[in-house]
Amino acid sequence: MRTRTPATHVVSDDAPPAPLLLHRSENPWGASPRAVEAAHAELLRVNRYPDPQHTALIDALSAHYRVTTDRVAVGNGVDEVILMLALALRATGRAVVNEATYQGYPKSLEAAGLRVVHIPLDHHRVNPAALMAEMDKGAALVFVCNPHNPTGSLLDGGAVRSLSEAARATGSHVVFDEAYAEFADGSFTSALPWAREGGCVSVLRTFSKAYGLASLRVGALIGDPDVVSRIGTVQDAMPFHVNRLAQAAACAALEDQAFLEQTRVYTATARTALCSCLDRLGITYLPSQTNFVTAHLPENAPEVTRRLLADHVHVRDATDMGMPGWMRISVGTPADVLTLIRRLEAVL
């Protein structure tokens, strides 16, 4: 019988550096150890299907957000929740999104057969008046990203209130995507108070950003019980979509709010350092309440992005998000920030 010699892996001195991943708004500090332990424990039961009703996770989300369980739906990441929402409401009419925003909204809406109206931003900010005008015209579904991706801006409290009240007055359904809410400071106003009672308002939250569970894919919708019920009908076609590791890890992550607070502090500190470095280089950027900063390189953002990639630094050219000339940079660790700025300075 032939024997196989074990392979020997040698890292040479001229091996390329590890890539610096600053293009997907990931949490560089990882996930709560309690969440990781919970996921690891579930590896012993991978031969068993996950709970198709997501009972423990929905109970945990219900308690955390102080809503009844009939107001909570979960999915395999917020992307799937958006698609299920589009499928659930596809017979209701046209949908409204902003022009420069997360591309998961129009892609899911169009895949579900909805006609999509795109509303321009106003000086890189969501324009509530334009969205409410579409509600008055009979828009069935309106998506609002707050904090906004990719600009990092916030809607003020009055705008959140006005949009929520307009939805109820017109019968439109407004969905506030608050994926980056945990990174925002005290000036952030969540739509959760309107999503907790009454109809026509829903909020999206994710475990992929501040909770650091991007690879496990867990997203949630909190809001209108009728919408949650309709999503449940869509979910019946794929009952085991949120795997058991993800469900367990998300429950444990919610319990470890101390880790979440640590992530908030680390992110705010590193974001300040990144902005200071961009100031030193004379690069204009948009003020951000998220874990990314969007910088303006009007003449050569795509070229700078390509050259950074060649130097093993991944950042996001925002052209495909409707912002040509801009580059979205995730907030990494302090060491990541220094490495990025050193290589960006060399490229420029």
Side-chain angles (χ1 to χ4, degrees), residues 239-264:
F240 302 114
H241 59 137
V242 183
N243 71 72
R244 64 181 313 120
L245 278 70
Q247 292 190 43
C251 289
L254 281 176
E255 294 173 355
D256 195 353
Q257 290 297 303
F259 183 88
L260 181 65
E261 181 58 30
Q262 176 179 282
T263 295
R264 286 195 191 102

Side-chain angles (χ1 to χ4, degrees), residues 7-247:
T8 301
H9 300 279
V10 178
V11 179
S12 65
D13 292 337
D14 58 352
L20 187 57
L21 306 178
L22 302 177
H23 60 314
R24 291 177 175 164
S25 307
E26 295 165 329
N27 181 349
W29 293 281
S32 159
R34 290 163 64 175
V36 175
E37 290 168 9
H40 187 267
E42 291 302 314
L43 288 171
L44 301 176
R45 292 181 282 277
V46 293
N47 59 312
R48 302 297 182 188
Y49 284 112
D51 174 12
Q53 303 301 320
H54 323 101
T55 306
L57 177 54
I58 286 179
D59 285 347
L61 287 163
S62 171
H64 181 74
Y65 291 115
R66 305 192 309 279
V67 296
T68 53
T69 55
D70 64 341
R71 288 184 175 272
V72 182
V74 298
N76 188 35
V78 161
D79 304 270
E80 187 186 62
V81 177
I82 294 168
L83 179 58
M84 291 191 296
L85 183 60
L87 290 169
L89 300 180
R90 64 180 175 175
T92 57
R94 62 190 172 86
V96 177
V97 301
N98 284 113
E99 281 185 351
T101 194
Y102 177 56
Q103 291 300 293
Y105 313 142
K107 287 181 179 179
S108 288
L109 293 165
E110 289 166 0
L114 281 156
R115 184 166 69 88
V116 181
V117 176
H118 297 260
I119 302 299
L121 294 180
D122 181 12
H123 296 91
H124 306 299
R125 303 182 71 86
V126 171
N127 185 340
L131 296 177
M132 288 186 284
E134 291 297 324
M135 293 183 193
D136 288 336
K137 295 175 187 176
L141 193 56
V142 178
F143 278 86
V144 183
C145 192
N146 185 43
H148 188 263
N149 176 20
T151 68
S153 63
L154 292 182
L155 283 170
D156 63 37
V160 174
R161 179 180 300 104
S162 295
L163 285 165
S164 300
E165 291 176 351
R168 289 179 177 169
T170 61
S172 298
H173 191 91
V174 61
V175 181
F176 291 89
D177 183 355
E178 298 181 353
Y180 296 92
E182 288 83 4
F183 297 113
D185 63 21
S187 63
F188 171 68
T189 298
S190 172
L192 280 168
W194 289 272
R196 287 191 180 105
E197 56 185 42
C200 298
V201 179
S202 292
V203 167
L204 301 177
R205 290 294 180 100
T206 183
F207 286 87
S208 296
K209 304 304 181 186
Y211 285 104
L213 297 177
S215 68
L216 290 182
R217 315 302 300 128
V218 185
L221 177 143
I222 299 96
D224 192 321
D226 178 61
V227 168
V228 169
S229 177
R230 293 189 188 196
I231 288 174
T233 300
V234 175
Q235 281 182 326
D236 285 344
M238 42 187 180
F240 302 114
H241 59 137
V242 183
N243 71 72
R244 64 181 313 120
L245 278 70
Q247 292 190 43

Side-chain angles (χ1 to χ4, degrees), residues 308-342:
L308 284 173
L309 181 60
D311 202 13
H312 311 286
V313 177
H314 297 247
V315 295
R316 177 74 180 270
D317 175 8
T319 299
D320 68 334
M321 301 184 78
M323 292 185 65
W326 294 82
M327 186 173 71
R328 196 188 69 182
I329 306 167
S330 304
V331 175
T333 66
D336 293 340
V337 171
L338 292 177
T339 299
L340 164 74
I341 293 300
R342 185 170 62 249

Side-chain angles (χ1 to χ4, degrees), residues 294-307:
T294 300
H296 196 207
L297 296 164
E299 301 300 326
N300 58 351
E303 178 62 21
V304 170
T305 303
R306 284 193 293 270
R307 293 181 65 184

